[in-house]
């Protein structure tokens, strides 16, 4: 399909659609870029004059929006009009794990992909290139093609239309999305129509070196995305499993990670131990991989990848148990401060955050929590906790046991323990000696992200527990 691309549209104004299109608009001033979403509130936030109200927090995003919005970047709810005027349409809708029906709990729910494809089928005019940006099961392009082709027949008397489907999965990570989009390690484009592929290459060529643009067949492209996420998550589970062994043996996980990562064949990225991986992608994509493996009868392969998820869950339960045990086996009515609720630093996203699981288990054990996160809003925290707890113990009133604060003093006052769950830079600057005075004795700090510099602890009378640290750290202070 050889077309001149002048207008592009992105269906889905979320963590991928918004930042990705902002970067394309900034780098391709000759293109008109329209981002559409069913969610009017979200589109209103993207259009808010107050840039602190954007629905996604990402370093660098505000500046891009300020530069491009209403010039060549538009956020709209009129999906029909945007599709009709576009030459290339990106699908960046959510693909969560299915909650019910066939494959529930493992397979990806493709209802948003299907509804996007049906909208494109209905409203597109002329020749259109459709690009899958969402992460989807291998062979999904076939579903999209089938819907689009059947529309060519259904609508052929009304208007002429034709489609080409490409796969170009997005590899950005939250918190570094803009940098990842500007400097991608690779851009992957799968498809079998060279002209359509080149149209997409032409867009990326505006800022990405051509040798970083990898062209593959469509199924390799779809499967590469699931595989990349599975490999990354596997590294986190691997280092987390070893963190437990360090605690038993007297080894120090940061020294082990450094020694292992200096082997150039292994590399030193993604070897930070923590409370387990969160985020909207890893768990759902591995579940999806497991489902696909089982579908093709590869049960041992499915079991192998499932273990990555099991270790992740185990790490979270393990940490909760350690905290309760150190606090004399009971935390009923004890005050505990939680630092960090986002699944990682520099994002306001809490999807699958380990903080949800760990905080909820502490609430169920009877603790009173004070929670501080620099970017996550109070409503999100309460909603996440309520959703988790309702399934475990519907009698618990979350508001009675949780306070959200922006004050470190409030976190510490009368607290028996403070737990660090997200690796925000702000937490590295805490004056522990000052907080220590406000806490009830004996008081504990559980550093589940290894962010604390022990020198900052020297003068305090706090007990500290660091993840994966086997020696008696309190003697080393
Ligand atoms: P998101 O939930 O933040 O955004 C998706 C948006 O799509 C929502 O606002 C929703 O209202 C909208 N939507 C759904 N169906 C629609 C329809 N038919 N028409 C118009 N709008 C519709 O999701 P996200 O985090 O941006 O992820 C999107 C996809 O990208 C997923 O497949 C995800 O796996 C993948 N991905 C995510 C990340 C990440 O870091 N979040 C990174 C790479 C890939
Ligand atoms: C991930 C992939 O990295 C990205 O390529 C893909 O497009 C989407 O999914 P994201 O989930 O946004 O990105 O963040 P990532 O940096 O991968 O972190 C995922 C989780 O792993 C976080 O909870 C993070 O704290 C945790 N993590 C990561 C560790 O615990 N240790 C590490 O060394 C790295």
């Amino acid at each position: 399909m050889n077309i001149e691309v002048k207008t592009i549209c992105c269906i889905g104004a979320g963590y991928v659609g918004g930042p990705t299109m902002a970067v394309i608009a900034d780098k391709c001033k000759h293109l008109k870029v329209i981002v559409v979403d069913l969610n009017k509130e979200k589109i209103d936030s993207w259009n808010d004059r107050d840039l602190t109200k954007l629905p996604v927090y990402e370093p660098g995003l505000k500046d891009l929006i300020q530069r491009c919005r209403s010039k060549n970047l538009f956020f709209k709810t009129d999906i029909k009009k945007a599709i009709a005027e576009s030459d290339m349409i990106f699908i960046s809708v959510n693909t969560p794990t299915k909650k019910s029906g066939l494959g529930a709990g493992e397979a990806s729910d493709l209802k948003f992909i299907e509804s996007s494809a049906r909208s494109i089928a209905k409203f597109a005019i002329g020749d259109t290139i459709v690009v899958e940006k969402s992460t989807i099961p291998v062979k999904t392009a076939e579903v999209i093609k089938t819907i689009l082709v059947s529309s060519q027949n259904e609508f052929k008397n009304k208007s002429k239309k034709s489609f080409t489907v490409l796969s170009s999965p997005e590899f950005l990570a939250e918190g570094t999305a803009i940098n990842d989009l500007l400097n991608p390690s690779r851009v992957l484009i799968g498809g079998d129509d060279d002209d359509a592929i080149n149209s997409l290459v032409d867009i990326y060529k505006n800022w990405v070196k051509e040798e970083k643009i990898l062209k593959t067949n469509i199924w390799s492209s779809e499967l590469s995305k699931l595989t990349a996420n599975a490999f990354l998550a596997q590294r986190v589970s691997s280092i987390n499993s070893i963190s437990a062994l360090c605690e038993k043996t007297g080894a120090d996980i940061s020294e082990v990670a450094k020694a292992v990562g200096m082997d150039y064949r292994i590399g030193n990225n993604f070897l930070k131990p923590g409370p387990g991986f969160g985020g909207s992608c890893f768990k759902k994509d591995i579940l999806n991989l497991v489902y696909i493996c089982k579908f093709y009868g590869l049960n041992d392969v499915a079991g192998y990848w499932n273990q990555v998820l099991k270790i992740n869950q185990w790490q979270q339960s393990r940490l909760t148990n350690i905290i309760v045990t150190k606090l004399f086996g009971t935390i009923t009515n004890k005050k505990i401060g939680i630092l960090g609720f986002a699944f990682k630093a520099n994002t306001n996203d809490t999807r699958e955050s380990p903080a949800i699981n760990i905080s909820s288990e502490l609430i169920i054990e009877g603790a009173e929590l004070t929670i501080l996160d620099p970017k996550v809003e109070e409503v999100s925290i309460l909603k996440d906790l309520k959703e988790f707890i309702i399934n475990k113990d519907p009698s618990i009133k979350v508001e009675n046991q949780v306070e959200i604060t922006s004050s470190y003093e409030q976190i510490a006052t009368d607290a028996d323990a403070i737990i660090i769950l997200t690796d925000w830079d702000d937490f590295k600057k805490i004056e522990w000696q000052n907080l220590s005075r406000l806490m009830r004795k004996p008081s504990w700090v559980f550093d589940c992200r290894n962010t604390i510099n022990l020198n900052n602890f020297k003068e305090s009378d706090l007990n500290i527990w660091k993840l994966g640290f086997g020696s008696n750290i309190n003697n080393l202070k």
Side-chain angles (χ1 to χ4, degrees):
M1 182 177 288
N2 197 354
I3 55 172
E4 190 191 350
V5 177
K6 289 185 185 147
T7 302
I8 68 175
C9 156
C10 174
I11 304 181
Y15 283 88
V16 168
T20 307
M21 292 302 126
V23 167
I24 291 183
D26 196 46
K27 293 293 174 189
C28 308
K29 295 284 192 290
H30 58 287
L31 292 178
K32 178 176 177 184
V33 181
I34 313 166
V35 190
V36 291
D37 206 292
L38 292 170
N39 183 334
K40 182 174 178 311
E41 221 177 294
K42 201 175 261 189
I43 291 296
D44 288 345
S45 304
W46 279 113
N47 285 320
D48 205 305
R49 291 177 72 158
D50 177 356
L51 291 170
T52 62
K53 302 239 169 80
L54 295 180
V56 170
Y57 171 75
E58 278 294 336
L61 179 62
K62 271 198 300 191
D63 295 344
L64 286 176
I65 299 293
Q66 196 158 32
R67 272 208 297 277
C68 303
R69 197 174 58 189
S70 305
K71 293 188 181 108
N72 69 331
L73 174 65
F74 303 89
F75 293 92
K76 307 261 189 198
T77 48
D78 191 344
I79 297 176
K80 176 179 173 179
K81 189 160 175 269
I83 289 176
E85 70 174 293
S86 296
D87 312 298
M88 183 179 274
I89 300 173
F90 292 80
I91 303 181
S92 300
V93 297
N94 37 331
T95 47
T97 304
K98 264 183 106 171
K99 288 204 174 114
S100 57
L102 189 68
E106 282 182 352
S108 283
D109 190 341
L110 295 180
K111 68 180 174 204
F112 302 114
I113 295 281
E114 183 174 337
S115 65
S116 304
R118 288 189 188 280
S119 301
I120 297 169
K122 200 165 170 189
F123 302 127
I125 295 171
D127 300 330
T128 310
I129 299 169
V130 177
V131 185
E132 304 169 335
K133 266 270 157 235
S134 296
T135 306
I136 41 190
V138 57
K139 292 285 182 188
T140 302
E142 213 155 73
V143 176
I144 297 176
K145 274 184 194 161
T146 309
I147 292 170
L148 297 176
V149 167
S150 55
S151 82
Q152 282 171 329
N153 302 331
E154 192 184 336
F155 297 101
K156 75 174 169 224
N157 297 329
K158 295 182 188 152
S159 62
K160 181 189 160 299
K161 48 180 97 189
S162 71
F163 300 99
T164 294
V165 180
L166 302 178
S167 155
S168 183
E170 184 47 63
F171 292 97
L172 68 80
E174 288 178 31
T176 52
I178 303 302
N179 191 43
D180 295 343
L181 286 161
L182 290 173
N183 308 294
S185 44
R186 76 299 208 189
V187 168
L188 182 55
I189 304 179
D192 50 19
D193 178 330
D194 288 343
D195 289 330
I197 291 173
N198 286 335
S199 297
L200 186 53
V201 171
D202 284 344
I203 291 179
Y204 277 106
K205 257 184 4 193
N206 284 287
W207 76 97
V208 179
K209 286 198 183 116
E210 225 173 324
E211 57 265 29
K212 283 197 171 178
I213 304 178
L214 186 63
K215 301 174 195 172
T216 65
N217 84 36
I218 199 155
W219 317 127
S220 305
S221 172
E222 289 181 340
L223 187 56
S224 299
K225 174 66 197 178
L226 290 185
T227 308
N229 272 356
F231 272 53
L232 289 168
Q234 181 204 43
R235 283 176 74 98
V236 177
S237 279
S238 297
I239 200 72
N240 282 342
S241 70
I242 300 299
S243 72
L245 193 54
C246 286
E247 288 158 28
K248 299 278 183 210
T249 55
D252 171 353
I253 193 66
S254 52
E255 291 175 351
V256 174
K258 187 169 180 188
V260 171
M262 279 175 80
D263 185 328
Y264 73 94
R265 296 166 302 173
I266 297 173
N268 60 10
N269 288 316
F270 260 72
L271 286 181
K272 278 203 217 103
F277 56 76
S280 64
C281 295
F282 283 175
K283 183 174 171 194
K284 106 175 145 58
D285 292 346
I286 294 180
L287 282 170
N288 190 215
L289 189 63
V290 167
Y291 180 74
I292 295 169
C293 291
K294 284 188 194 162
F295 178 83
Y296 288 107
L298 300 169
N299 292 329
D300 290 326
V301 184
Y304 173 76
W305 287 109
N306 203 33
Q307 197 59 30
V308 172
L309 292 175
K310 278 196 184 162
I311 288 288
N312 199 49
Q313 188 58 45
W314 170 81
Q315 178 80 338
Q316 294 172 35
S317 316
R318 178 174 100 73
L319 294 185
T320 313
N321 288 343
I322 288 172
I323 292 162
V324 176
T325 308
K326 294 269 184 219
L327 298 179
F328 309 119
T330 170
I331 54 172
T332 308
N333 298 330
K334 284 185 179 164
K335 201 185 147 204
I336 297 179
I338 302 286
L339 290 180
F341 205 79
F343 79 96
K344 62 185 281 195
N346 296 319
T347 178
N348 60 344
D349 196 350
T350 60
R351 288 177 289 182
E352 298 295 338
S353 176
I356 302 175
N357 188 335
I358 294 173
S359 304
S360 298
E361 293 297 346
L362 298 176
I363 291 169
I364 292 166
E365 287 272 345
E368 291 169 15
L369 303 188
T370 316
I371 303 176
L372 181 156
D373 187 285
K375 288 289 170 201
V376 182
E377 293 192 0
E378 176 164 350
V379 284
S380 298
I381 297 177
L382 292 176
K383 182 171 165 280
D384 288 337
L385 293 173
K386 282 179 194 166
E387 277 174 11
F388 187 98
I389 288 173
I390 191 100
N391 296 320
K392 298 254 178 175
D393 185 346
S395 70
I396 292 178
K397 295 262 171 298
V398 170
E399 279 94 343
N400 293 348
Q401 283 176 251
V402 175
E403 261 188 284
I404 315 295
T405 184
S406 56
S407 150
Y408 288 95
E409 283 72 27
Q410 198 180 341
I411 284 284
T413 302
D414 299 329
D416 290 271
I418 295 178
I419 307 169
I420 299 176
L421 291 180
T422 311
D423 44 346
W424 285 102
D425 270 349
D426 293 12
F427 302 156
K428 294 180 187 151
K429 299 175 209 145
I430 293 175
E431 303 279 352
W432 287 104
Q433 210 182 330
N434 296 343
L435 295 192
S436 155
R437 290 193 201 105
L438 302 169
M439 295 175 74
R440 188 166 86 145
K441 301 291 169 310
S443 27
W444 278 90
V445 173
F446 295 91
D447 184 3
C448 302
R449 290 280 189 174
N450 287 348
T451 56
I452 288 178
N453 180 344
L454 275 184
N455 288 333
N456 293 349
F457 262 78
K458 285 228 159 70
E459 306 303 323
S460 83
D461 54 0
L462 291 165
N463 295 303
I464 176 164
W465 180 88
K466 267 167 98 68
L467 177 64
F469 205 92
S471 317
N472 185 350
I473 198 165
N474 292 302
N475 294 341
L476 301 176
K477 276 199 312 183

